[in-house]
Every structure is written in structure tokens, then in C-alpha cells.
Amino acid sequence: MIRVVVADDQPLVRAGLRTLLQTEPDIEVVAVAEDGAAAVEQALALRPDLVCMDIRMPGRDGISATRELCGPEVTDPIPVLVLTTFDIDDYVFGALEAGASGFLLKDAEPDAIVAAVRSVAAGHGTLDTSLTRRVLREVVTRRRTQPVTAARASELLTTRELDILLHLAEGMSNEEIARALVLEVSTVKSHLARMMPKLGVKSRLQAAVWAYQSGVIER
């Protein structure tokens, strides 16, 4: 069972998300929160599999709450899926930099939201496919980290892993990657499982960001 905390300052949105997720047989909403402070309190007390976090909330916002739950300094992180009405802006970048495992617009189809919850809970992460390249480019630019070289990427990964990484960075799902490369979905998952430790990342989203930082993907 996937245990979820829903954090949003709008009662109607909270109720809608709770109802949507509770109808799934493998998902349980264990708590709701109306701001970032309550979200952190509930998450630390209940240790859910993930938190569905709004960005703009009164009092403590979702970015600060995300950083406390799964930021770089957190030793036992709780994954965060950001659900927001805002498109590409500072709030979204801030949430990703704070350690969020995924980002999805609230007007996404219900099935996409449920799939994103399952993906983040499984440790894969997710990113709105229509915004993937723009978001990742901006995240990499703002981090201003010293990029590794594309040659280094070739040293770390096999040819097949590089192929999968390229498709992953385009926002493709495992199923889409499998179709594009004529592979079984289980084979794609196996390659990802071997690839991510090599890159020092923990999620699909982090692997995609690594691809941009490494020069494997041209910005």
C-alpha cells in the first residue's frame, strides 16, 4: 500500500486529490495538510511513502517544506511530488532544487496524477513531459555546477545505458523507451537499476538532470 500525505491550502483541491487517490486500491491518503509546516509535521510523524505538495501556501511554503523532507542534507528523506497550478517559474525550479522527486501540473489528467504518485513512490520520479527539456535546462543552468564531460559519461555507461538515458532525458516513460528501442519494459528497468548507482543518482529525474550536466544532451 502506498501511503500519501496531501498538502494544499485549498480545501477543494485537498478533498479532490484525497478522493482521487483513495479510489485506487493500492493508495491510502494517511493525512492532509493546509500548509508546509503541517505537511512537515504530518510527514515526519507518519513517514508516508511520499507527500503530494503544493508550492504556494500561506505560512510555510512548499519549497521550504520540501527541502526539510528530502533536501540534500536529509539522511532519511521522504519523497515529494510537487503538484502545482504554476508553469515554468521560480517556484518550480526551487522545488526541484530542494529535492522534489517529481513535478506535475494540477490540470494533468487524473490517470497521470495517479501514475505519478506510483512512480515517485517506487523511486523513479516523474516530470511533466511537455515541460521536461525546458525545466531541466533551467535547473542545470541555475545550479552552475562544474559539468562532467560527455566522454566521462561514455566511460561510466554502456552504449545501451546511454541510449536509455537519452530517451529518459526527453521525458519518456519506461514503456515509451522500450517501444523506441525495441526492448522489454523489464529490460529497461534493469538497465536503469544498474545505471543510476553509476551516476550517483537516486531517481529518474536526477538521472535526466545528470544527462544535461554531462553534455550528453545539448542544451
Side-chain angles (χ1 to χ4, degrees):
M1 183 69 70
I2 300 171
R3 302 171 66 251
V4 181
V5 169
V6 172
D8 197 290
D9 64 318
Q10 299 181 38
L12 187 59
V13 174
R14 288 199 305 273
L17 284 173
R18 183 171 196 165
T19 299
L20 170 65
L21 297 176
Q22 286 281 119
T23 59
E24 300 298 320
D26 59 332
I27 300 175
E28 177 187 8
V29 177
V30 295
V32 295
E34 62 185 18
D35 59 27
V40 170
E41 181 181 357
Q42 295 279 16
L44 293 180
L46 298 171
R47 305 299 303 184
D49 296 296
L50 77 152
V51 177
C52 290
M53 185 83 74
D54 188 20
I55 291 180
R56 293 188 65 179
M57 295 181 284
R60 187 172 190 182
D61 65 23
I63 295 175
S64 172
T66 296
R67 185 174 294 108
E68 181 166 347
L69 293 177
C70 57
E73 305 303 319
V74 179
T75 57
D76 188 16
I78 298 172
V80 171
L81 170 63
V82 172
L83 290 172
T84 178
T85 55
F86 295 89
D87 199 328
I88 306 299
D89 60 15
D90 286 342
Y91 295 107
V92 173
F93 300 131
L96 294 176
E97 291 285 0
S101 296
F103 160 64
L104 204 62
L105 296 177
K106 288 181 183 176
D107 61 2
E109 292 295 325
D111 286 349
I113 294 175
V114 172
V117 166
R118 292 188 176 122
S119 179
V120 170
H124 301 315
T126 190
L127 191 64
D128 190 291
T129 55
S130 65
L131 307 173
T132 297
R133 289 181 67 88
R134 290 168 59 194
V135 170
L136 292 176
R137 284 173 181 155
E138 185 65 17
V139 168
V140 171
T141 298
R142 291 179 182 225
R143 285 188 173 184
R144 304 182 190 279
T145 54
Q146 182 65 36
V148 298
T149 64
R152 176 60 174 158
S154 298
E155 292 173 5
L156 289 172
L157 304 178
T158 66
T159 300
R160 178 59 77 195
E161 288 169 347
L162 278 171
D163 288 340
I164 290 173
L165 182 61
L166 286 168
H167 288 80
L168 176 64
E170 292 292 337
M172 289 188 178
S173 66
N174 290 345
E175 290 75 14
E176 291 169 333
I177 294 172
R179 285 195 295 271
L181 298 178
V182 194
L183 298 171
E184 296 292 332
V185 174
S186 59
T187 302
V188 173
K189 291 180 178 178
S190 296
H191 281 298
L192 285 171
R194 289 192 295 269
M195 179 199 308
M196 289 195 287
K198 293 180 182 180
L199 305 182
V201 300
K202 297 180 180 179
S203 72
R204 294 165 55 91
L205 179 56
Q206 291 174 358
V209 170
W210 189 96
Y212 281 83
Q213 289 178 316
S214 70
V216 172
I217 302 294
E218 293 184 0
R219 300 171 196 171

